Amino acid sequence: NWPSRPYLFLDSTHKELKRIFHLWRCKKYRDQFTDQQKLIYEEKLEASELFKDKKALYPSSVGQPFQGAYLEINKNPKYKKLKDAIEEKIIIAEVVNKINRANGKSTSRIFLLTNNNLLLADQKSGQIKSEVPLVDVTKVSMSSQNDGFFAVHLKEGSEAASKGDFLFSSDHLIEMATKLYRTTLSQTKQKLNIEISDEFLVQFRQDKVCVKFIQGNQKNGSVPTCKRKNNRLLEVAVP
């Protein structure tokens, strides 16, 4: 609340005082933040700039805290072998669905993001299946719709790209893409390209495949489904 001005000639002064008072209150609020809280709001701001009014899934992510480590790799003895193999700080540890390049079926994988690498590990054994240096990640693609699918494009000719790009599905797409964007920028000083389109190309071995998002039917229920149609097309049906 701000009191009304008593005289007309004070109008400009009145507006300026109101502006200064508002900025002061904002500063008082910000000064209460710990470094950890500042990081949380910085990431949320980044997510807003990347996805607001572009990705239908974004609004539902606003109230969800970014946790990063959804799997307790350091505490769970099941993942001791995996923990011992990673020397860097783990930024993201989550189970995702990795889409099979050949048929569109999904396999559960542990998705790990560190300061310098993106790693995929077997969910049961903890064995590392793929390791991709962040310098070899060129782009992340996703649809504009309310689904969690995203593609990670790899630098052509790099060792990591021998089998082609990756296609994943995650319940925390907005957080994962935001953290991947921020980590890549921090480590490589390059802005990761985020492509939002209902059709985009991926490289699967020697083939360029179009990933196309369509409206699904009632048989799909509320879960998006993925199917490889032919050598050039992979369809994702979104409810």
Side-chain angles (χ1 to χ4, degrees):
N1 295 322
W2 187 252
S4 58
R5 50 164 173 68
Y7 304 106
L8 183 61
F9 76 89
L10 292 174
D11 190 56
S12 60
T13 306
H14 177 265
K15 289 178 180 177
E16 181 64 11
L17 285 171
K18 181 180 180 180
R19 186 186 72 85
I20 293 171
F21 180 70
H22 172 70
L23 293 175
W24 172 76
R25 289 188 70 216
C26 290
K27 184 180 184 304
K28 278 195 69 176
Y29 182 73
R30 290 196 305 270
D31 287 347
Q32 299 172 18
F33 290 174
T34 63
D35 289 341
Q36 181 62 28
Q37 287 174 313
K38 287 179 183 178
L39 177 62
I40 290 170
Y41 281 102
E42 283 174 4
E43 287 188 333
K44 284 291 186 179
L45 177 61
E46 193 87 71
S48 173
E49 293 172 346
L50 290 171
F51 303 112
K52 185 179 179 183
D53 299 326
K54 300 174 187 175
K55 175 72 174 168
L57 185 69
Y58 169 73
S60 63
S61 76
V62 174
Q64 297 176 352
F66 286 175
Q67 298 181 36
Y70 291 90
L71 292 177
E72 296 184 326
I73 300 292
N74 295 328
K75 296 180 181 178
N76 194 330
K78 176 182 175 181
Y79 300 122
K80 184 180 185 304
K81 183 179 178 181
L82 179 60
K83 174 184 173 293
D84 292 343
I86 300 173
E87 298 178 356
E88 300 178 278
K89 176 186 175 184
I90 296 174
I91 299 169
I92 289 177
E94 188 199 359
V95 174
V96 300
N97 287 320
K98 175 184 171 291
I99 308 304
N100 188 294
R101 298 177 179 92
N103 55 25
K105 294 182 180 180
S106 62
T107 305
S108 295
R109 286 284 184 265
I110 297 174
F111 184 106
L112 297 165
L113 175 65
T114 67
N115 285 332
N116 294 293
N117 297 287
L118 185 160
L119 303 100
L120 296 176
D122 185 273
Q123 186 183 2
K124 293 181 179 179
S125 67
Q127 180 183 357
I128 295 176
K129 295 289 188 179
S130 303
E131 184 170 354
V132 181
L134 290 185
V135 292
D136 289 341
V137 177
T138 59
K139 183 169 67 172
V140 170
S141 297
M142 65 189 71
S143 80
S144 64
Q145 302 184 48
N146 194 29
D147 64 272
F149 284 85
F150 67 104
V152 176
H153 302 263
L154 306 180
K155 186 184 295 182
E156 191 174 346
S158 65
E159 183 180 345
S162 59
K163 294 182 180 179
D165 301 329
F166 290 104
L167 184 61
F168 301 108
S169 176
S170 168
D171 292 334
H172 303 103
L173 165 61
I174 299 298
E175 175 181 358
M176 295 181 75
T178 301
K179 287 183 181 291
L180 184 56
Y181 177 89
R182 286 173 60 85
T183 306
T184 302
L185 179 61
S186 172
Q187 296 304 115
T188 69
K189 311 304 178 188
Q190 299 291 323
K191 288 186 177 181
L192 183 63
N193 184 15
I194 304 287
E195 177 187 6
I196 300 177
S197 172
D198 290 344
E199 285 188 33
F200 53 80
L201 292 175
V202 291
Q203 186 76 40
F204 284 170
R205 295 187 184 275
Q206 283 75 40
D207 298 327
K208 280 196 178 297
V209 179
C210 175
V211 180
K212 184 177 182 180
F213 292 79
I214 62 172
Q215 288 298 310
N217 53 43
Q218 292 181 346
K219 293 180 181 179
N220 298 333
S222 60
V223 180
T225 58
C226 187
K227 188 175 182 181
R228 182 76 183 262
K229 304 293 285 187
N230 52 51
N231 289 342
R232 302 296 179 190
L233 178 64
L234 189 150
E235 278 188 353
V236 180
V238 182

